[in-house]
Amino acid sequence: MQSFIVNGGRRLNGSLRVQGSKNSALPILAATLLVKGKSVIHNVPDLSDIRCTLGILKNLGCSVSRESGTVYVDSSCASGYEIPESLMREMRSSVVFLGAIIGSHGKAVISTPGGCEIGLRPIDLHLYAMKRLGVEVNEGSGRLCCSTSGLEGGKITLSFPSVGATENAVLVATTAKGITTIVNCAREPEISDLCEFLNKCGARISGAGESIITVEGVNALHNAEHSVICDRIVASTYLVAGAVSGGDVELLNTEPHHLNSVLPLLEEAGCDIRVKCKSIRIKATGRLNRIDKIITQPYPGFPTDSQALFTTLASVAEGTSVIVENIFESRFKHVPELVRMGAKIRTEGRVAVVEGVRRLYGAEVQAQDLRGGAALVLAGICADGTTEVLNTEFTDRGYEDFENCLCSLNADVYRKVKKDGAIKKKNC
């Protein structure tokens, strides 16, 4: 059992290089199954979800190795098409392997994926996309058995711009015969990054980043080298950390235009934002201002993954902020924990009304999902006293070396490990 111990009251300052994007690396690593040869993927963060993904690739017969932030995947001898339930349940994003396996082998067997419990995330759209290109799907006993006698391009119209369904549709269409048109696509930068990698491998994909993507199927993909984009949600996490601590923080290796929906809200809160080509600097002095309304929307709108972080910010701002969660219906699980720390938050359905307080107070709280866990650590940074955030396994899914990155910015955070009754401290 592990937890984060956060001693609050320290102003963050300094510079930090932002890690590679988890949500980009996962589908790109899955896409290596379609490649005949060795793929070289740079800027891959060291996360539990990434380790699970590499485990799935090995289970399917790929040769996988890692050197620092670079992952090498050779799928030449990969013949497996079934992912064991034990691996599928480790993370929700494992469903993105469905399109890659079918595109590579013409069949796939998977179980219901796991991951954070933040609300209903049905995979109906994923299966709809498969069926539109000639895949037969049989469901039963928590397993999906998919097969096709030949993938044929077609028109896929998504009822909602789902990131995962868009990725799966692109992956399965890459080697289908003919042209596939995907309508109402998700427009996230991570999808553009996936398509850029596939095009480097010989795919013919156009329209990534727009609402319509066109895929002209090819017979096979060749090996290529690619560097994953930076993680925009991790970047927003450290920006909020700088804001709530009254700090001066510069983030390197960023793509500021990926944060066009986030930066204006930080400015509304009273922060000074300075943007350069690949860096963002945030300065916060005095008490933060309220943010009138925060509404989560598909990209390029405000990301649902940053909602919990901004709930912490609103908790210590002057005035009342309103947060509307439009993507997931169970994404306020961090709220009762913030209330334990002295926050004044009322929720009703998908709306949270946050009345800012002058200070939060240290307490023992529990993370129940990835971004909620990060939000509680940030709350501990600006709280009086000591906060213990239980369940570090959630933050480990998406943040590389989280406590040490925060410590490099002058935070006082360490990981407490309890094993066999003994408690050990992992220093920054």
Side-chain angles (χ1 to χ4, degrees), residues 23-42:
N23 291 334
S24 186
L26 296 179
I28 287 174
L29 289 171
T32 62
L33 280 171
L34 297 170
V35 176
K36 303 305 179 186
K38 179 179 283 189
S39 302
V40 181
I41 313 298
H42 301 292

mmCIF file of all heavy atoms in Angstrom, residues 23-42:
data_model
loop_
_atom_site.group_PDB
_atom_site.id
_atom_site.type_symbol
_atom_site.label_atom_id
_atom_site.label_comp_id
_atom_site.label_asym_id
_atom_site.label_seq_id
_atom_site.Cartn_x
_atom_site.Cartn_y
_atom_site.Cartn_z
ATOM 1 N N ASN A 23 -2.011 9.335 -23.460
ATOM 2 C CA ASN A 23 -3.135 9.070 -24.351
ATOM 3 C C ASN A 23 -2.745 9.061 -25.823
ATOM 4 O O ASN A 23 -3.554 8.717 -26.683
ATOM 5 C CB ASN A 23 -4.249 10.094 -24.106
ATOM 6 C CG ASN A 23 -4.912 9.902 -22.758
ATOM 7 O OD1 ASN A 23 -4.912 8.803 -22.215
ATOM 8 N ND2 ASN A 23 -5.453 10.972 -22.207
ATOM 9 N N SER A 24 -1.523 9.467 -26.107
ATOM 10 C CA SER A 24 -0.990 9.352 -27.464
ATOM 11 C C SER A 24 -0.153 8.083 -27.595
ATOM 12 O O SER A 24 -0.248 7.356 -28.589
ATOM 13 C CB SER A 24 -0.144 10.581 -27.790
ATOM 14 O OG SER A 24 0.263 10.578 -29.126
ATOM 15 N N ALA A 25 0.669 7.814 -26.580
ATOM 16 C CA ALA A 25 1.560 6.655 -26.633
ATOM 17 C C ALA A 25 0.789 5.336 -26.694
ATOM 18 O O ALA A 25 1.180 4.411 -27.417
ATOM 19 C CB ALA A 25 2.496 6.660 -25.426
ATOM 20 N N LEU A 26 -0.318 5.240 -25.959
ATOM 21 C CA LEU A 26 -1.049 3.968 -25.905
ATOM 22 C C LEU A 26 -1.569 3.521 -27.274
ATOM 23 O O LEU A 26 -1.300 2.386 -27.687
ATOM 24 C CB LEU A 26 -2.190 4.058 -24.889
ATOM 25 C CG LEU A 26 -1.773 4.261 -23.419
ATOM 26 C CD1 LEU A 26 -3.002 4.348 -22.526
ATOM 27 C CD2 LEU A 26 -0.858 3.138 -22.946
ATOM 28 N N PRO A 27 -2.317 4.345 -28.017
ATOM 29 C CA PRO A 27 -2.772 3.882 -29.343
ATOM 30 C C PRO A 27 -1.639 3.716 -30.341
ATOM 31 O O PRO A 27 -1.717 2.852 -31.221
ATOM 32 C CB PRO A 27 -3.752 4.979 -29.787
ATOM 33 C CG PRO A 27 -3.405 6.181 -28.979
ATOM 34 C CD PRO A 27 -2.907 5.651 -27.662
ATOM 35 N N ILE A 28 -0.572 4.524 -30.226
ATOM 36 C CA ILE A 28 0.565 4.366 -31.140
ATOM 37 C C ILE A 28 1.251 3.024 -30.902
ATOM 38 O O ILE A 28 1.605 2.314 -31.853
ATOM 39 C CB ILE A 28 1.554 5.538 -30.981
ATOM 40 C CG1 ILE A 28 0.960 6.802 -31.598
ATOM 41 C CG2 ILE A 28 2.903 5.210 -31.622
ATOM 42 C CD1 ILE A 28 1.779 8.047 -31.371
ATOM 43 N N LEU A 29 1.416 2.654 -29.642
ATOM 44 C CA LEU A 29 2.017 1.348 -29.338
ATOM 45 C C LEU A 29 1.122 0.221 -29.843
ATOM 46 O O LEU A 29 1.613 -0.782 -30.372
ATOM 47 C CB LEU A 29 2.263 1.220 -27.835
ATOM 48 C CG LEU A 29 3.392 2.086 -27.279
ATOM 49 C CD1 LEU A 29 3.413 2.049 -25.753
ATOM 50 C CD2 LEU A 29 4.748 1.636 -27.830
ATOM 51 N N ALA A 30 -0.198 0.370 -29.694
ATOM 52 C CA ALA A 30 -1.112 -0.643 -30.234
ATOM 53 C C ALA A 30 -0.983 -0.723 -31.754
ATOM 54 O O ALA A 30 -1.009 -1.811 -32.342
ATOM 55 C CB ALA A 30 -2.552 -0.309 -29.841
ATOM 56 N N ALA A 31 -0.789 0.424 -32.390
ATOM 57 C CA ALA A 31 -0.690 0.476 -33.856
ATOM 58 C C ALA A 31 0.534 -0.247 -34.391
ATOM 59 O O ALA A 31 0.557 -0.650 -35.565
ATOM 60 C CB ALA A 31 -0.665 1.936 -34.319
ATOM 61 N N THR A 32 1.548 -0.441 -33.564
ATOM 62 C CA THR A 32 2.751 -1.149 -34.036
ATOM 63 C C THR A 32 2.441 -2.584 -34.443
ATOM 64 O O THR A 32 3.221 -3.203 -35.162
ATOM 65 C CB THR A 32 3.861 -1.145 -32.964
ATOM 66 O OG1 THR A 32 3.404 -1.829 -31.783
ATOM 67 C CG2 THR A 32 4.264 0.281 -32.592
ATOM 68 N N LEU A 33 1.292 -3.117 -34.002
ATOM 69 C CA LEU A 33 0.887 -4.457 -34.414
ATOM 70 C C LEU A 33 0.651 -4.529 -35.922
ATOM 71 O O LEU A 33 0.778 -5.590 -36.531
ATOM 72 C CB LEU A 33 -0.396 -4.872 -33.687
ATOM 73 C CG LEU A 33 -0.260 -5.371 -32.249
ATOM 74 C CD1 LEU A 33 -1.635 -5.514 -31.628
ATOM 75 C CD2 LEU A 33 0.487 -6.696 -32.207
ATOM 76 N N LEU A 34 0.290 -3.411 -36.534
ATOM 77 C CA LEU A 34 0.014 -3.377 -37.965
ATOM 78 C C LEU A 34 1.282 -3.295 -38.804
ATOM 79 O O LEU A 34 1.228 -3.436 -40.030
ATOM 80 C CB LEU A 34 -0.876 -2.180 -38.294
ATOM 81 C CG LEU A 34 -2.279 -2.165 -37.679
ATOM 82 C CD1 LEU A 34 -2.931 -0.803 -37.893
ATOM 83 C CD2 LEU A 34 -3.135 -3.273 -38.283
ATOM 84 N N VAL A 35 2.405 -3.046 -38.150
ATOM 85 C CA VAL A 35 3.667 -2.785 -38.844
ATOM 86 C C VAL A 35 4.442 -4.079 -39.057
ATOM 87 O O VAL A 35 4.555 -4.906 -38.153
ATOM 88 C CB VAL A 35 4.521 -1.782 -38.047
ATOM 89 C CG1 VAL A 35 5.877 -1.580 -38.694
ATOM 90 C CG2 VAL A 35 3.789 -0.455 -37.906
ATOM 91 N N LYS A 36 5.004 -4.235 -40.216
ATOM 92 C CA LYS A 36 5.873 -5.380 -40.487
ATOM 93 C C LYS A 36 7.317 -4.938 -40.275
ATOM 94 O O LYS A 36 7.939 -4.347 -41.145
ATOM 95 C CB LYS A 36 5.671 -5.882 -41.919
ATOM 96 C CG LYS A 36 4.236 -6.263 -42.236
ATOM 97 C CD LYS A 36 3.675 -7.293 -41.258
ATOM 98 C CE LYS A 36 2.228 -7.639 -41.572
ATOM 99 N NZ LYS A 36 1.641 -8.532 -40.543
ATOM 100 N N GLY A 37 7.825 -5.179 -39.106
ATOM 101 C CA GLY A 37 9.179 -4.751 -38.781
ATOM 102 C C GLY A 37 9.247 -4.089 -37.423
ATOM 103 O O GLY A 37 8.328 -4.208 -36.603
ATOM 104 N N LYS A 38 10.341 -3.371 -37.179
ATOM 105 C CA LYS A 38 10.582 -2.768 -35.867
ATOM 106 C C LYS A 38 10.169 -1.305 -35.858
ATOM 107 O O LYS A 38 10.619 -0.512 -36.680
ATOM 108 C CB LYS A 38 12.063 -2.876 -35.487
ATOM 109 C CG LYS A 38 12.386 -2.239 -34.125
ATOM 110 C CD LYS A 38 13.846 -2.378 -33.746
ATOM 111 C CE LYS A 38 14.147 -3.789 -33.256
ATOM 112 N NZ LYS A 38 15.511 -3.868 -32.673
ATOM 113 N N SER A 39 9.319 -0.951 -34.919
ATOM 114 C CA SER A 39 8.914 0.439 -34.707
ATOM 115 C C SER A 39 9.742 1.018 -33.568
ATOM 116 O O SER A 39 9.987 0.345 -32.559
ATOM 117 C CB SER A 39 7.430 0.522 -34.347
ATOM 118 O OG SER A 39 6.617 -0.046 -35.350
ATOM 119 N N VAL A 40 10.151 2.271 -33.722
ATOM 120 C CA VAL A 40 10.924 2.958 -32.690
ATOM 121 C C VAL A 40 10.112 4.166 -32.240
ATOM 122 O O VAL A 40 9.881 5.100 -33.018
ATOM 123 C CB VAL A 40 12.301 3.411 -33.220
ATOM 124 C CG1 VAL A 40 13.092 4.100 -32.109
ATOM 125 C CG2 VAL A 40 13.070 2.215 -33.773
ATOM 126 N N ILE A 41 9.678 4.142 -30.983
ATOM 127 C CA ILE A 41 8.799 5.192 -30.464
ATOM 128 C C ILE A 41 9.525 5.923 -29.327
ATOM 129 O O ILE A 41 9.855 5.326 -28.302
ATOM 130 C CB ILE A 41 7.470 4.613 -29.939
ATOM 131 C CG1 ILE A 41 6.877 3.615 -30.942
ATOM 132 C CG2 ILE A 41 6.494 5.744 -29.631
ATOM 133 C CD1 ILE A 41 6.535 4.215 -32.286
ATOM 134 N N HIS A 42 9.757 7.217 -29.529
ATOM 135 C CA HIS A 42 10.455 8.040 -28.538
ATOM 136 C C HIS A 42 9.466 8.798 -27.653
ATOM 137 O O HIS A 42 8.282 8.918 -27.974
ATOM 138 C CB HIS A 42 11.362 9.060 -29.245
ATOM 139 C CG HIS A 42 12.396 8.453 -30.141
ATOM 140 N ND1 HIS A 42 13.455 7.723 -29.657
ATOM 141 C CD2 HIS A 42 12.525 8.474 -31.498
ATOM 142 C CE1 HIS A 42 14.205 7.320 -30.676
ATOM 143 N NE2 HIS A 42 13.660 7.766 -31.799
#
